[in-house]
């Protein structure tokens, strides 16, 4: 893959690492929101926003939710907002499918932790890009992912293709990932890769590590195939357009 540079090793404990990159033109084809739409673009990594202990607690939320379903292939998702849960080769709505039993799976504390973590990530992104946190809105899809080495059964399992979030989802302006397990300890492969012209920049997941970036073509990326073990993460994304905003999930 040409030259590869590791932006964040698993063994490092990074306070704040930020790399500015020139913005693509992707934002020009969408309505601009002054004080929020990216004028400064880039990517950051921090181990100083979420503790490893909090990451473990969040991973347990993911494990409990995903234990109700799971894809036949290697990639399963759980979206607490919409209720989307991988089940076999399809998705079900967690809240409709399991009804009141949801109260036995999740607690109010789970959702409070989720909210708190989301707010801290939002503030960190706003700080890095010099925008107001209040001008950012959570947007969909925002979801837990669980990836293992099982062979893909449908296109939904093929998580490894290079893509641009702004092109794929439209509403995304800032994307973040909170890793909930450790590269080379809990799983092999599964590194996050920014694909720049002539070189790759990789991030090795570590529980509690947050990577974040502007969502346009300046940050074309992919995830390596997981070779062994299980990789947990949560994708939390933000938009500048209030029309595309969603509220935090609430326990039904």
């Amino acid at each position: 893959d040409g030259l590869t540079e590791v932006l964040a090793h698993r063994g490092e404990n990074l306070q704040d690492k930020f790399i500015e990159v020139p913005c693509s033109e992707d934002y020009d084809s969408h309505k601009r929101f002054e004080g929020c739409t990216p004028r400064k673009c880039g990517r950051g990594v921090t181990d100083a926003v979420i503790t490893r202990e909090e990451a473990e607690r969040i991973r347990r939320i993911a494990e409990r939710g995903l234990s109700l379903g799971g894809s036949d292939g290697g990639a399963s998702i759980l979206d607490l907002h919409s209720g989307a849960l991988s089940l076999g080769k399809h998705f079900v709505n967690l809240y409709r499918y399991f009804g009141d039993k949801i109260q036995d799976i999740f607690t109010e504390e789970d959702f409070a932790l989720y909210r708190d973590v989301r707010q801290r990530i939002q503030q960190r992104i706003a700080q890095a890009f010099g925008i107001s946190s209040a001008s950012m809105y959570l947007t969909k899809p925002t979801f837990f992912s669980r990836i293992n080495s099982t062979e893909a059964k449908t296109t939904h399992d093929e998580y490894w293709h290079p893509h641009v979030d702004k092109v794929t989802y439209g509403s995304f302006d800032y994307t973040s990932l909170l890793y909930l397990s450790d590269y080379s300890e809990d799983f092999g492969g599964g590194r996050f890769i920014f694909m720049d012209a002539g070189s790759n920049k990789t991030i090795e997941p570590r529980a509690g590590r947050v990577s974040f970036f502007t969502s346009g073509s300046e940050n074309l990326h992919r995830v390596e195939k997981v070779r062994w073990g299980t990789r947990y993460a949560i994708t939390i994304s933000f938009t500048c357009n209030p029309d595309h905003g969603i509220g935090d999930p609430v326990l039904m």
Side-chain angles (χ1 to χ4, degrees), residues 19 105 174 181:
I19 294 153
I105 306 292
Y174 300 93
S181 47

Side-chain angles (χ1 to χ4, degrees), residues 67-88:
S67 71
L68 300 172
S71 164
D72 287 345
S76 301
I77 69 144
L78 164 66
D79 182 334
L80 289 180
H81 298 263
S82 68
L85 171 71
S86 302
L87 188 66

Side-chain angles (χ1 to χ4, degrees), residues 151-207:
E151 198 182 321
K153 300 293 191 289
T154 72
T155 53
H156 296 298
D157 297 318
E158 296 183 16
Y159 56 83
W160 54 81
H161 299 296
H163 64 278
V164 171
D165 291 346
K166 186 82 184 155
V167 173
T168 306
Y169 300 112
S171 63
F172 284 30
D173 290 303
Y174 300 93
T175 306
S176 73
L177 289 135
L178 166 59
Y179 298 107
L180 305 175
S181 47
D182 292 326
Y183 169 71
S184 85
E185 195 167 297
D186 298 314
F187 61 91
R191 292 178 303 171
F192 184 95
I193 301 173
F194 289 110
M195 303 175 70
D196 296 340
S199 73
N200 286 333
K201 311 285 194 304
T202 65
I203 293 173
E204 298 177 354
R206 164 191 165 106

Side-chain angles (χ1 to χ4, degrees), residues 66 69-77 145-153 157-160 181 186-190 223-233:
L66 285 159
S71 164
D72 287 345
S76 301
I77 69 144
S145 58
R146 181 185 72 194
I147 305 175
N148 61 33
S149 60
T150 308
E151 198 182 321
K153 300 293 191 289
D157 297 318
E158 296 183 16
Y159 56 83
W160 54 81
S181 47
D186 298 314
F187 61 91
V223 173
E224 281 180 326
K225 285 188 182 183
V226 169
R227 293 194 310 273
W228 57 267
T230 307
R231 177 194 195 268
Y232 282 95

Side-chain angles (χ1 to χ4, degrees), residues 44-229:
V45 189
T46 176
D47 294 313
V49 175
I50 310 300
T51 67
R52 286 179 70 82
E53 187 266 337
E54 286 168 331
E56 277 169 30
R57 285 169 58 201
I58 293 176
R59 189 180 70 222
R60 288 197 287 273
I61 298 172
E63 286 170 343
R64 290 200 303 274
L66 285 159
S67 71
L68 300 172
S71 164
D72 287 345
S76 301
I77 69 144
L78 164 66
D79 182 334
L80 289 180
H81 298 263
S82 68
L85 171 71
S86 302
L87 188 66
K89 291 185 175 62
H90 307 282
F91 296 96
V92 294
N93 183 314
L94 181 76
Y95 301 119
R96 282 207 296 270
Y97 201 78
F98 295 99
D100 294 343
K101 292 203 192 90
I102 286 300
Q103 309 283 345
D104 303 331
I105 306 292
F106 303 121
T107 65
E108 289 294 355
E109 288 78 21
D110 292 338
F111 280 63
L113 174 64
Y114 182 98
R115 221 170 21 244
D116 179 38
V117 161
R118 188 272 302 160
Q119 282 164 347
R120 275 185 270 161
I121 292 173
Q122 184 167 342
Q123 283 157 2
R124 180 66 200 89
I125 294 173
Q127 190 186 343
F129 290 101
I131 61 174
S132 155
S133 174
S135 67
M136 300 164 67
Y137 303 88
L138 193 64
T139 192
K140 64 184 183 186
T142 284
F143 57 90
F144 289 104
S145 58
R146 181 185 72 194
I147 305 175
N148 61 33
S149 60
T150 308
E151 198 182 321
K153 300 293 191 289
T154 72
T155 53
H156 296 298
D157 297 318
E158 296 183 16
Y159 56 83
W160 54 81
H161 299 296
H163 64 278
V164 171
D165 291 346
K166 186 82 184 155
V167 173
T168 306
Y169 300 112
S171 63
F172 284 30
D173 290 303
Y174 300 93
T175 306
S176 73
L177 289 135
L178 166 59
Y179 298 107
L180 305 175
S181 47
D182 292 326
Y183 169 71
S184 85
E185 195 167 297
D186 298 314
F187 61 91
R191 292 178 303 171
F192 184 95
I193 301 173
F194 289 110
M195 303 175 70
D196 296 340
S199 73
N200 286 333
K201 311 285 194 304
T202 65
I203 293 173
E204 298 177 354
R206 164 191 165 106
R209 171 167 288 168
V210 176
S211 70
F212 58 89
F213 48 94
T214 44
S215 307
S217 302
E218 66 278 358
N219 284 312
L220 174 70
H221 61 275
R222 68 183 182 91
V223 173
E224 281 180 326
K225 285 188 182 183
V226 169
R227 293 194 310 273
W228 57 267

